[in-house]
């Protein structure tokens, strides 16, 4: 069924098709927070006989298009998985390339993102990133801190298990220092100690590239998120694919474990 639907959608490719689909979006029921696992860069490049790095570079173009669309639509938060705590296992050349690409992206895009009122934020163990990446991120976050439009939330050196572990450590420390009581620990308190504190949980998770995994992404926050999976590789991911994902999201019945009153 899923393949049948995505097959159908994949026939829509022209700007007219995009406009038609865009018109059919219900602007009153857009997801507040979209999370994306930007997967498939390496395979996309290898299938074309190119080095994996060119897949990552092509992935930046997809990111650019999707940020632009989310900003136009008035989406509140877009969280993009750019580098996981497990990605350090990759060859050092690929890791270095990704870190340099991040710096290049932030330098090249900052003025335009700032002009579009986008606020850049980052989640993950940021202190473990190379100094150049940290500085570029700090500068981008500081420059855009006062913006009120789309929050572009970059997950960097991010791992869902590490995030929960870090939250548990912070809470345990506060219990030890008698700042809070064990009885105060509830879901709200835990959420407030995650890297995503203050942000709503994602309504929609998009994973391109044909893999059906969470890959240690937002483990706590995705509890009731709607998933949209696609075979399209991230470098081929276009605005029309996100519009399809949002349309699919709008057709879902979200029950959060309860029942819908008929
Ligand atoms: C996963 O694809 C992708 C990554 C580990 C990197 C994502 C980075 C980008 C999209 C570049 C743009 C981001 C910024 C912030 C500059 P993969 O390499 O695992 O692909 P594969 O599964 O086909 O090997």
């Amino acid at each position: 069924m899923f393949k049948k639907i995505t097959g159908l959608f994949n026939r829509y490719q022209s700007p007219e098709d995009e406009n038609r689909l865009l018109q059919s979006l219900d602007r009153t029921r857009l997801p507040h927070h979209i999370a994306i696992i930007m997967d498939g860069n390496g395979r996309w490049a290898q299938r074309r006989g190119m080095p994996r790095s060119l897949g990552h570079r092509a992935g930046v173009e997809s990111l650019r298009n999707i940020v632009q669309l989310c900003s136009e639509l008035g989406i509140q938060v877009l969280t993009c998985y750019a580098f996981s705590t497990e990605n350090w296992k990759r060859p050092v050349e690929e890791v270095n390339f990704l870190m340099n690409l991040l710096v290049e992206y932030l330098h090249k895009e900052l003025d335009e993102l700032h002009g579009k009122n986008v606020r850049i934020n980052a989640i993950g163990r940021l202190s473990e990133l190379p100094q150049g990446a940290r500085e570029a991120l700090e500068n981008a976050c500081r420059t855009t801190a006062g913006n009120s439009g789309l929050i572009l939330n970059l997950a960097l050196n991010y791992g869902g298990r590490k995030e929960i572990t870090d939250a548990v450590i912070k809470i345990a420390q506060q219990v030890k220092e008698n700042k809070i009581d064990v009885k105060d620990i509830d879901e709200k308190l835990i959420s407030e100690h995650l890297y995503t504190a203050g942000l709503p949980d994602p309504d929609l998770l998009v994973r391109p590239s044909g893999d059906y995994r969470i890959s240690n992404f937002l483990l706590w926050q995705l509890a009731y998120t709607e998933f949209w999976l696609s075979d399209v590789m991230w470098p081929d991911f276009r605005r029309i694919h996100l519009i399809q994902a949002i349309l699919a999201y709008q057709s879902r019945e979200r029950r959060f474990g309860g029942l819908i009153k008929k």
Side-chain angles (χ1 to χ4, degrees):
M1 181 65 177
F2 163 70
K3 282 226 163 1
K4 216 167 157 186
I5 292 170
T6 48
L8 196 80
F9 273 139
N10 285 340
R11 279 194 240 132
Y12 296 102
Q13 290 296 345
S14 68
E16 293 76 29
D17 289 332
E18 181 186 311
N19 270 334
R20 207 166 42 243
L21 285 186
L22 207 48
Q23 300 300 326
S24 56
L25 281 180
D26 179 348
R27 303 294 179 116
T28 65
R29 288 195 308 119
L30 291 170
H32 298 292
H33 183 170
I34 299 176
I36 304 186
I37 300 179
M38 304 187 288
D39 193 22
N41 297 345
R43 277 166 288 164
W44 180 90
Q46 282 165 334
R47 281 175 197 171
R48 287 163 177 75
M50 302 189 311
R52 291 173 57 82
S53 55
L54 289 189
H56 296 312
R57 195 169 276 291
V60 174
E61 196 50 41
S62 299
L63 177 63
R64 195 176 283 132
N65 287 320
I66 294 310
V67 169
Q68 167 73 28
L69 174 62
C70 287
S71 172
E72 282 168 26
L73 288 174
I75 303 291
Q76 212 178 313
V77 190
L78 171 67
T79 297
C80 290
Y81 206 2
F83 194 87
S84 77
T85 44
E86 286 69 39
N87 286 153
W88 299 106
K89 294 178 200 157
R90 295 187 179 203
V92 67
E93 297 77 25
E94 183 167 341
V95 170
N96 289 342
F97 184 87
L98 282 167
M99 293 300 156
N100 291 335
L101 196 59
L102 169 70
V103 175
E104 185 185 312
Y105 171 76
L106 293 171
H107 282 156
K108 277 194 184 158
E109 300 293 316
L110 186 56
D111 284 351
E112 197 176 330
L113 291 169
H114 192 30
K116 291 197 165 87
N117 198 22
V118 173
R119 175 146 70 93
I120 299 171
N121 188 55
I123 53 169
R125 286 194 174 170
L126 306 176
S127 61
E128 294 168 5
L129 290 173
Q131 190 184 351
R134 259 190 352 255
E135 286 173 1
L137 262 179
E138 278 160 16
N139 177 49
C141 295
R142 198 175 39 244
T143 306
T144 60
N147 291 348
S148 56
L150 173 73
I151 297 176
L152 171 59
N153 194 29
L154 296 172
L156 290 157
N157 192 24
Y158 175 89
R161 289 184 174 182
K162 289 237 169 15
E163 178 181 38
I164 294 170
T165 307
D166 285 348
V168 170
I169 292 169
K170 280 188 252 167
I171 293 169
Q173 192 64 34
Q174 290 174 39
V175 172
K176 194 172 155 201
E177 291 166 6
N178 289 321
K179 290 184 179 150
I180 56 169
D181 194 88
V182 171
K183 289 200 291 297
D184 299 329
I185 301 173
D186 57 11
E187 292 185 11
K188 183 167 172 285
L189 187 91
I190 293 174
S191 291
E192 286 166 359
H193 285 81
L194 297 174
Y195 307 146
T196 52
L199 299 177
D201 287 341
D203 301 294
L204 172 64
L205 172 79
V206 171
R207 177 160 197 158
S209 94
D211 283 336
Y212 305 156
R213 288 190 284 272
I214 290 195
S215 300
N216 203 11
F217 189 42
L218 302 174
L219 295 180
W220 175 277
Q221 298 88 336
L222 294 177
Y224 281 102
T225 300
E226 297 293 330
F227 284 23
W228 190 81
L229 310 168
S230 159
D231 290 339
V232 176
M233 297 285 141
W234 178 248
D236 287 329
F237 199 91
R238 296 285 169 269
R239 292 163 60 100
I240 199 161
H241 299 113
L242 188 65
I243 299 169
Q244 291 163 12
I246 299 174
L247 280 169
Y249 163 81
Q250 293 186 333
S251 72
R252 308 267 178 92
E253 189 182 72
R254 301 189 77 190
R255 294 188 297 278
F256 299 93
L259 296 174
I260 299 286
K261 285 197 189 103
K262 302 268 182 200

